[in-house]
């Protein structure tokens, strides 16, 4: 709601002209799987991606080196996987994106640099190898799955070590106010991962929507 208010004010949009279609995507299943370490994470990710109907897929990671390593690991298992991050040359990024758009068997392992302008309607699954920065990033990234209206999956591979890694990245921010906001967002993501109640209700509640039942 605060973002909607900001946009309406900055663009001089009258309240009667605001259309908010909501965040509830009934065709998108939300899952969180516990992982002991990266080896366990790699195994679970490869197993999921090899199941029929789980590609095309996007795997989001935090670090560029992680994108390269995980893509190489998936290729070793026989999957058609490529990495994508901002450190790559522009023509290399364009090639990966073009191949992903043209194929229904591709997997892209990417940092948040991947996604803007990628309008592929039949992405069947979005995986988070690491914790997203916050609910806003998480919702945007998983929202790339199932745009054709058919069933799709969002899976977060979560390990306790992820929290420490994410906190270290947040601590590098020299702006105290921005750091406070980032810590709040991170805590919300950890709460979603560790939730013992309906995660969809937790997620929608953050965006100001109420779901009456699990």
């Amino acid at each position: 709601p605060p973002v909607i208010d900001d946009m309406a004010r900055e663009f001089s949009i009258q309240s009667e002209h605001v259309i908010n279609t909501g965040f509830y995507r009934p065709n998108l299943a939300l899952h969180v799987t516990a992982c002991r370490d990266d080896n366990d994470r790699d195994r679970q990710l490869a197993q999921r991606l090899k199941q029929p109907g789980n590609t095309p897929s996007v795997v989001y990671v935090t670090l560029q080196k992680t994108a390269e390593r995980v893509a190489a690991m998936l290729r070793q298992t026989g999957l058609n996987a490529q990495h994508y991050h901002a450190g790559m040359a522009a023509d290399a990024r364009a090639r990966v994106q073009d191949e992903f758009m043209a194929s229904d068997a591709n997997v892209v392992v990417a940092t948040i640099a991947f996604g803007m302008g990628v309008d592929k309607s039949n992405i069947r699954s979005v995986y988070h190898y690491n914790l997203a920065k916050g609910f806003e990033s998480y919702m945007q990234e998983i929202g790339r799955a199932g745009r054709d209206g058919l069933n799709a999956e969002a899976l977060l591979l979560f390990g306790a070590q992820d929290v420490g890694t994410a906190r270290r990245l947040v601590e590098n921010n020299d702006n105290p106010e921005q750091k406070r906001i980032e810590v709040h967002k991170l805590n919300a993501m950890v709460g979603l991962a560790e939730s013992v109640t309906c995660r969809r209700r937790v997620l929608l509640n953050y965006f100001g929507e109420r779901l009456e039942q699990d």
Side-chain angles (χ1 to χ4, degrees):
V3 176
I4 293 175
D5 292 343
D6 286 346
M7 292 175 69
R9 182 178 64 255
E10 293 295 331
F11 290 104
S12 301
I13 300 172
Q14 300 301 314
S15 59
E16 63 268 24
H17 296 149
V18 173
I19 300 174
N20 176 11
T21 58
F23 289 91
Y24 184 32
R25 294 277 306 282
N27 67 313
L28 187 57
L30 308 182
H31 299 292
V32 177
T33 296
C35 300
R36 295 185 301 274
D37 51 31
D38 282 353
N39 289 332
D40 186 30
R41 205 185 309 255
D42 289 351
R43 179 184 59 79
Q44 295 202 50
L45 177 63
Q47 284 181 348
R48 289 273 187 154
L49 286 169
K50 287 198 160 194
Q51 292 176 4
N54 274 13
T55 58
S57 298
V58 180
V59 180
Y60 281 105
V61 300
T62 301
L63 303 176
Q64 294 180 5
K65 63 180 181 181
T66 306
E68 296 178 6
R69 183 190 67 76
V70 172
M73 177 275 297
L74 293 175
R75 286 195 297 272
Q76 289 176 352
T77 71
L79 288 160
N80 182 6
Q82 302 293 329
H83 65 267
Y84 184 107
H85 58 68
M88 299 166 58
D91 58 342
R93 294 199 306 271
R95 177 182 55 79
V96 172
Q97 184 167 317
D98 289 346
E99 289 182 7
F100 182 70
M101 296 296 291
S103 172
D104 287 344
N106 276 16
V107 178
V108 172
V109 185
T111 61
I112 57 173
F114 184 79
M116 300 305 290
V118 176
D119 189 15
K120 187 174 177 66
S121 66
N122 66 334
I123 295 174
R124 295 275 61 90
S125 51
V126 171
Y127 298 89
H128 279 84
Y129 191 89
N130 306 112
L131 270 179
K133 291 176 62 178
F135 277 19
E136 292 87 352
S137 299
Y138 177 72
M139 196 71 196
Q140 184 182 44
E141 288 154 14
I142 66 173
R144 297 192 171 106
R147 289 183 176 177
D148 54 7
L150 301 179
N151 289 340
E153 178 185 53
L155 175 67
L156 169 62
L157 298 163
F158 178 70
Q161 67 274 22
D162 296 343
V163 182
T165 301
R167 288 197 189 285
R168 283 194 294 274
L169 291 173
V170 170
E171 289 300 323
N172 289 333
N173 196 322
D174 294 329
N175 184 323
E177 178 60 18
Q178 188 63 33
K179 184 186 295 187
R180 183 189 65 79
I181 294 171
E182 295 299 326
V183 168
H184 169 71
K185 290 183 177 183
L186 173 59
N187 289 339
M189 273 305 303
V190 173
L192 179 73
E194 296 181 339
S195 176
V196 294
T197 61
C198 173
R199 290 190 175 90
R200 196 184 300 272
R201 295 180 78 171
V202 174
L203 188 62
L204 292 178
N205 183 66
Y206 180 88
F207 292 107
E209 295 184 22
R210 297 289 183 270
L211 198 61
E212 296 304 320
Q213 57 187 7
D214 290 349

